[in-house]
Amino acid sequence: MARYTPPTQGKLGQIIDVIVLLIMAIGALYIPLWMGLAGSAVTSTAVENPTWESLGQNETMVAQWEKLGFADAASAAEMITARFDYSFSVGALLAMIVVIVGYYAILLRFSEKEYREVIAEKFEE
């Protein structure tokens, strides 16, 4: 039986792999923003005449806000009162699960031959 030798890939194949991975990564990060599924979940409550105390900031926090360039409570009020919405869509969660399981199924299907050859080389007599 012949020893298993892993396939080699030329420079063009490596470049194509990098391009495909870049497209997938950028798509995975940008498409949800483009479709409005992410990035707009911040709500801010308006506070009339905000003071550091009414915003729940102690002296140490106030000192840090001042170091960041917020001289008074009114300038930092919007950022302090901003609340993020962490809710999610069940449909989006199910779609993500289907994509991940599908990815692994395809990965195992395409690499089954190589796995069988390696196992046969290592464990069969």
Side-chain angles (χ1 to χ4, degrees):
M1 177 185 299
R3 286 189 51 88
Y4 174 76
T5 56
T8 57
Q9 187 176 35
K11 290 288 183 192
L12 181 62
Q14 292 174 354
I15 291 171
I16 291 173
D17 285 350
V18 169
I19 291 171
V20 168
L21 288 173
L22 281 173
I23 290 171
M24 289 174 61
I26 291 169
L29 295 172
Y30 178 71
I31 288 175
L33 292 172
W34 180 66
M35 294 177 66
L37 298 174
S40 62
V42 177
T43 58
S44 183
T45 56
V47 178
E48 286 188 35
N49 302 323
T51 62
W52 292 117
E53 292 78 23
S54 68
L55 295 173
Q57 305 297 299
N58 62 31
E59 292 179 19
T60 306
M61 294 175 178
V62 172
Q64 295 302 318
W65 283 110
E66 288 172 350
K67 283 182 185 178
L68 291 171
F70 295 96
D72 60 343
S75 60
E78 184 178 349
M79 191 177 298
I80 293 171
T81 60
R83 299 293 179 252
F84 292 92
D85 180 17
Y86 293 106
S87 62
F88 61 93
S89 158
V90 174
L93 178 64
L94 293 175
M96 181 183 67
I97 291 170
V98 167
V99 167
I100 292 171
V101 169
Y103 168 78
Y104 283 110
I106 290 171
L107 179 74
L108 290 174
R109 176 66 180 105
F110 287 143
S111 60
E112 181 179 6
K113 179 181 176 186
E114 287 81 11
Y115 286 147
R116 289 185 187 275
E117 288 176 1
V118 169
I119 290 171
E121 178 184 331
K122 296 289 182 188
F123 298 110
E124 289 183 2
E125 296 177 340

